[in-house]
């Protein structure tokens, strides 16, 4: 029995070889009518994951007033307290400034300047500067004008047979020779020492009292 060989057209062989290749390309490039895109890779060539900057952990610029370059320090304009030593004013007793015919009281810190002859005319003037006084400088009149238990001591000076007081000032003691203790006749007991226990009017400084 003789068999006949069936010939295959060269065109059919060519289509059979091309079909699998075309079918694979179509299946890998199309999906549900849309182009397949890798969602994990951002467009534009960025190979890293897409992230969103939330600002957490980033420094926040402090507000700076216009014209102030102090790095966020706000000038409140509040004045700075500056310590100032208060003025206490003159210190010292309010000294009696007296003559035989008049009496006044000087302001604290002032002295009384007494000039003239006690037998004729004396002048008593309150002054701020004892250096300018050309007579007797009176810085106290009684023990009450002196601090710390001191006494008011008058220093005498004799010139050409005439004895005068150069000054009355507070001291720890008076020697009784060229010095005399000035006192207050109304104070009992008086500040007078034993060698001059009585408090009476001064002959050289009328208006004042001295231990005698």
């Amino acid at each position: 029995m003789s068999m006949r060989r069936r010939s295959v057209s060269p065109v059919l062989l060519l289509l059979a070889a091309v079909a699998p290749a075309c079918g694979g390309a179509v299946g890998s490039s199309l999906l549900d009518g849309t182009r397949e895109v890798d969602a994990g890779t951002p467009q534009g060539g960025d190979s890293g994951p897409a992230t969103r900057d939330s600002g957490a952990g980033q420094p926040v610029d402090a507000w700076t007033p216009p014209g102030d370059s102090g790095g966020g320090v706000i000038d409140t304009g509040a004045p700075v307290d500056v310590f100032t030593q208060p003025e206490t004013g003159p210190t010292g007793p309010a000294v009696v400034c007296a003559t035989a015919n008049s009496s006044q009281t000087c302001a604290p810190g002032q002295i009384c300047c007494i000039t003239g002859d006690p037998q004729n005319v004396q002048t008593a003037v309150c002054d701020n500067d004892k250096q300018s006084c050309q007579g007797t400088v009176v810085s106290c009149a009684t023990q009450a004008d002196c601090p710390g238990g001191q006494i008011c001591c008058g220093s005498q000076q004799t010139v050409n047979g005439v004895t005068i007081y150069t000054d009355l000032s507070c001291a720890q003691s008076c020697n009784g020779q060229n010095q005399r203790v000035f006192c207050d006749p109304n104070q009992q007991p008086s500040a007078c020492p034993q060698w001059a226990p009585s408090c009476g009017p001064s002959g050289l400084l009328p208006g004042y009292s001295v231990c005698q």
Side-chain angles (χ1 to χ4, degrees):
M1 181 174 169
S2 61
M3 296 182 64
R4 295 182 63 182
R5 178 175 295 180
R6 223 179 137 178
S7 61
V8 180
S9 173
V11 177
L12 294 177
L13 292 175
L14 180 60
L15 291 176
V18 174
C22 292
V26 174
S28 62
S29 62
L30 297 178
L31 180 63
D32 293 338
T34 61
R35 185 186 176 113
E36 184 179 0
V37 179
D38 187 359
T41 303
Q43 300 295 323
D46 188 357
S47 59
T51 59
R52 181 180 180 182
D53 187 2
S54 62
Q58 299 298 322
V60 180
D61 292 337
W63 178 80
T64 303
D68 186 359
S69 59
V73 179
I74 301 175
D75 185 5
T76 60
V80 179
D81 292 337
V82 178
F83 175 76
T84 303
Q85 182 68 31
E87 295 183 4
T88 58
T91 59
V95 180
V96 173
C97 193
T99 64
N101 301 316
S102 65
S103 179
Q104 62 178 317
T105 301
C106 297
Q110 289 186 323
I111 57 97
C112 176
C113 180
I114 300 176
T115 58
D117 185 353
Q119 303 300 323
N120 295 307
V121 178
Q122 277 188 326
T123 303
V125 179
C126 294
D127 198 346
N128 294 318
D129 184 12
K130 65 181 180 180
Q131 299 297 331
S132 62
C133 180
Q134 299 300 315
T136 304
V137 178
V138 180
S139 299
C140 62
T142 67
Q143 186 181 24
D145 295 332
C146 300
Q150 294 181 340
I151 56 178
C152 184
C153 183
S155 297
Q156 294 178 342
Q157 183 179 10
T158 301
V159 179
N160 297 326
V162 178
T163 302
I164 62 171
Y165 282 102
T166 57
D167 68 270
L168 275 63
S169 59
C170 297
Q172 293 292 341
S173 62
C174 276
N175 60 25
Q177 297 178 7
N178 59 346
Q179 293 180 329
R180 297 291 185 272
V181 178
F182 279 71
C183 55
D184 181 0
N186 298 318
Q187 180 183 356
Q188 296 296 331
S190 67
C192 294
Q194 293 182 352
W195 47 266
S198 300
C199 183
S202 172
L204 297 178
L205 291 177
Y208 295 89
S209 298
V210 63
C211 294
Q212 52 195 338

